[in-house]
Amino acid sequence: MYQDTRGWFWFGTTEGLFRYDGLDYDYFTLADTTNTDHGGIKAVFEKNDTIWAGFNNGMIAFCPHPGTAAHGQLYPWEPEEGTPKVPITGFAADPAGNLWIATYGEGLYVYNGKRLFQFNHDDDGLSSDEIYTIACD
């Protein structure tokens, strides 16, 4: 569950993403209907008027300008480096505008607007690659 800057609540479920505006629920589906074995949404986040959803299979999708879309669509995010292959457990944004992605099994990722970089236990000294949540400090 996530509350965005408009005060709307977003719920990630095994069936997809739901937005509650205080009166009604709107359902957001994946634009790419070929990937139905995603295992559900584990994390939801807002950055620059875009809603990000992280799935149990590592897929990441986004909904640009969700305030204008009722019964909208989520679009798979496909960075050149690929996305994780393990559950996405959280998102955060730092003051520099980077998008941080926590995973359960592959450590942390950061997207700087151009490239996606990974930080893990073996190469970068994280205490574990299993991250349950993330917050910007």
Side-chain angles (χ1 to χ4, degrees), residues 29-113:
T29 59
L30 276 170
D32 176 8
T33 58
T34 61
N35 192 347
T36 58
D37 189 27
H38 50 68
I41 296 173
K42 296 295 210 179
V44 181
F45 187 69
E46 178 187 25
K47 181 179 180 296
N48 297 336
D49 204 30
T50 297
I51 295 295
W52 294 86
F55 290 79
N56 198 45
N57 69 351
M59 182 175 68
I60 298 171
F62 65 95
C63 176
H65 310 293
T68 61
H71 308 290
Q73 290 191 322
L74 291 168
Y75 299 93
W77 182 54
E78 299 172 344
E80 182 178 333
E81 299 81 14
T83 57
K85 303 296 181 228
V86 297
I88 305 298
T89 56
F91 295 97
D94 66 26
N98 298 313
L99 178 65
W100 290 84
I101 303 162
T103 71
Y104 189 79
E106 291 182 10
L108 280 173
Y109 286 81
V110 62
Y111 182 66
N112 67 2

Side-chain angles (χ1 to χ4, degrees), residues 105-109 118-129:
E106 291 182 10
L108 280 173
Y109 286 81
Q118 180 185 18
F119 299 93
N120 61 35
H121 174 267
D122 293 338
D123 299 328
D124 303 299
L126 288 181
S127 60
S128 174
D129 287 333

